[in-house]
């Protein structure tokens, strides 16, 4: 599973947070090493990725993301190939996922 560098200006992941991923090709099960504001860091797993949306899982929660648009939270641009996303929905883990 390849790891990809990602960064956000937010101190945590939540609805409305925007982030930039440094990668030209994401695939299911790839890992995002997401740097948070104030020095925090989390790992998230890519569940789904296409031009219309991105779904990631972090500590059992599901984050459904859409492409970033003007008016969304400010983001930092990374060098090279990158994509920018905004978290649109946060779904808590199902009870079955927690005990699996």
């Amino acid at each position: 599973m390849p790891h990809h560098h990602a960064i956000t200006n937010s101190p945590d992941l939540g609805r409305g947070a925007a982030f930039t991923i440094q990668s030209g090709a994401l695939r299911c099960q790839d890992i995002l090493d997401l740097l948070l504001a104030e020095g925090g860091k989390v790992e998230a797993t890519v569940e789904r990725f296409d031009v219309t949306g991105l779904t990631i899982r972090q500590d059992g929660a599901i984050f459904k993301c859409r492409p970033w648009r003007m008016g969304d939270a400010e983001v930092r641009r990374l060098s090279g190939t990158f994509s920018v996303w905004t978290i649109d929905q946060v779904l808590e883990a199902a009870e079955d996922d927690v005990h699996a």
Side-chain angles (χ1 to χ4, degrees):
M1 291 177 269
H3 284 247
H4 304 279
H5 179 69
I7 193 165
T8 181
N9 288 333
S10 178
D12 56 19
L13 295 181
R15 189 168 189 272
F19 59 96
T20 305
I21 302 170
Q22 188 175 38
S23 175
L26 289 177
R27 291 181 178 76
C28 288
Q29 302 306 308
D30 283 359
I31 304 296
L32 299 181
D33 293 318
L34 185 58
L35 298 176
L36 305 171
E38 302 168 11
K41 181 180 175 183
V42 297
E43 275 192 3
T45 303
V46 174
E47 297 284 317
R48 181 182 74 86
F49 171 69
D50 60 38
V51 296
T52 64
L54 169 69
T55 302
I56 59 176
R57 178 183 298 264
Q58 195 268 324
D59 283 343
I62 301 291
F63 299 87
K64 293 190 174 192
C65 310
R66 60 169 171 74
W68 184 90
R69 298 187 292 244
M70 291 297 290
D72 286 349
E74 182 180 327
V75 292
R76 288 190 254 176
R77 304 289 178 174
L78 298 170
S79 62
T81 303
F82 63 87
S83 60
V84 184
W85 300 90
T86 298
I87 297 174
D88 203 36
Q89 296 178 32
V90 179
L91 307 172
E92 295 302 318
E95 190 67 25
D96 292 343
D97 289 345
V98 174
H99 295 37

